Amino acid sequence: MFDFWFFFESVLLGIGLAMDAFSVSLANGLNEPCMSNKMALGISGMFAFFQALMPMIGWLLVHTVVQKFKAFERFIPWIALALLGYIGGKMLYEGIKNKEEECECRPLALSLLIAQGIATSIDALSVGFTIAEYTFVPALICALIIAAVTLGICLLGVKIGVHVGKKFSNKASILGGVILIFIGLEIFITSFL
């Protein structure tokens, strides 16, 4: 069961699932150009946690109440759009409202970080369907590989965002807000294609 292809497919799943989280991590770095390494790791860890949790919840639903999940599946794009639209709009507003150019630390509230984690990983619930043939241990290992890949990709995103954010200050917060709104729209629109 744990052959090369298992790990390769798990890494590919991780990369695919982490793209939205990467973009949001980038936006978070843009929004907080004075971010500490500890905070960057915390943000990346939150995204990694949700990217591992959601496929396991999907796997559990497949093995228990799959019909109920099918009914919920149509709401996923709406939830992602609402959460990312709200958070992005707030960042956009604050970036426009605060015109000063100095490096200002605007720490991200835990509640907003959790909302971002859910919004960027809620589509990973459906990954539970793709790993449904796995028993619990392989499904858990797959989810942990997804989390590790997400952690690395999100750390990169935050660091790039912080670097760019230091150069552009409040303009970076505006860009970060636009990125979040765009990601919400992208999740929403692609769900209908």
Side-chain angles (χ1 to χ4, degrees), residues 57-91:
I57 290 173
W59 180 88
L60 183 63
L61 288 172
V62 167
H63 289 275
T64 56
V65 287
V66 74
Q67 271 29 35
K68 292 181 183 178
F69 177 70
K70 284 285 191 194
F72 173 74
E73 198 171 24
R74 66 181 169 187
F75 296 109
I76 289 174
W78 293 95
I79 293 167
L81 177 64
L83 289 172
L84 291 174
Y86 169 75
I87 297 165
K90 188 172 186 295
M91 282 174 66

Side-chain angles (χ1 to χ4, degrees), residues 125-146:
L125 276 169
S126 59
V127 170
F129 290 120
T130 65
I131 63 172
E133 75 274 3
Y134 294 167
T135 58
F136 177 76
V137 172
L140 181 62
I141 290 171
C142 178
L144 292 174
I145 292 170
I146 290 169

Side-chain angles (χ1 to χ4, degrees), residues 101-173:
E101 292 295 320
E102 70 270 0
C103 180
E104 178 185 333
C105 292
R106 299 174 292 271
L108 190 62
L110 180 61
S111 59
L112 287 179
L113 185 57
I114 290 170
Q116 288 177 351
I118 292 169
T120 58
S121 65
I122 199 163
D123 59 334
L125 276 169
S126 59
V127 170
F129 290 120
T130 65
I131 63 172
E133 75 274 3
Y134 294 167
T135 58
F136 177 76
V137 172
L140 181 62
I141 290 171
C142 178
L144 292 174
I145 292 170
I146 290 169
V149 169
T150 300
L151 181 70
I153 289 173
C154 289
L155 269 172
L156 179 65
V158 170
K159 291 301 185 182
I160 291 170
V162 166
H163 180 72
V164 172
K166 285 179 181 174
K167 293 186 184 300
F168 297 105
S169 191
N170 285 331
K171 292 178 185 80
S173 181

Side-chain angles (χ1 to χ4, degrees), residues 8 19-21 34 46 57 70 91 94 129 158 187 192:
F8 183 70
M19 289 301 103
D20 289 340
C34 303
M46 183 69 74
I57 290 173
K70 284 285 191 194
M91 282 174 66
E94 288 173 359
F129 290 120
V158 170
I187 292 170
F192 295 106

